[in-house]
Amino acid sequence: MTELELCAAAISAMKNAYVPYSGYRVGAALLTKSGRVYTGCNIENASFTPTVCAERTAVFKAVSEGERDFAMLAVCGGKNGVITGAFPPCGVCRQVLAEFCPPDFPVLLITGEGAYRRVTLAELLPFGFGPSYMEEKVTD
Ligand SMILES: [Zn+2]
């Protein structure tokens, strides 16, 4: 799986976004160290609070399937699915990524067809709170 192939999976996932309220479509593709790809899209809700992001959809799909070791994430988004630049993960998704991924975890911010900016989780979430701060973390 190349970085461009992972980006293509995120772009494809964006098409499934359920966004009747904002029109902003977001897609994510999460590559696991085992080589599987879990995609996600954003799913809005009429009462707004239950809305979930593409990134968390992908992470939760993977974790629910027993995968916790992630290699890379690609993310894209834009109004009506038109990518006009990077669409970085929101703060909540950055926090969810920090639960499972190290600071050097690569995130590909898709900026256009065949183009992306590669950043790390530490760049997206500097001095982030993670599992290492929990003294008595339950190991499950
Ligand atoms: Zn988010």
Side-chain angles (χ1 to χ4, degrees), residues 53-56 89-94:
C53 300
E55 300 92 318
R56 276 179 287 148
C90 76
V92 174
C93 288
R94 295 174 195 205

Side-chain angles (χ1 to χ4, degrees), residues 18-80:
Y18 175 73
V19 290
Y21 308 107
S22 76
Y24 280 94
R25 294 180 176 277
V26 183
L30 180 65
L31 175 66
T32 67
K33 289 185 178 174
S34 69
R36 291 188 65 183
V37 174
Y38 292 87
T39 59
C41 63
N42 55 331
I43 305 166
E44 294 181 346
N45 188 280
S47 65
F48 295 114
T49 303
T51 295
V52 67
C53 300
E55 300 92 318
R56 276 179 287 148
T57 300
V59 170
F60 294 160
K61 281 171 67 177
V63 173
S64 70
E65 295 295 321
E67 301 265 15
R68 294 181 187 171
D69 297 320
F70 305 134
M72 190 181 307
L73 176 74
V75 184
C76 65
K79 186 76 171 177
N80 300 319

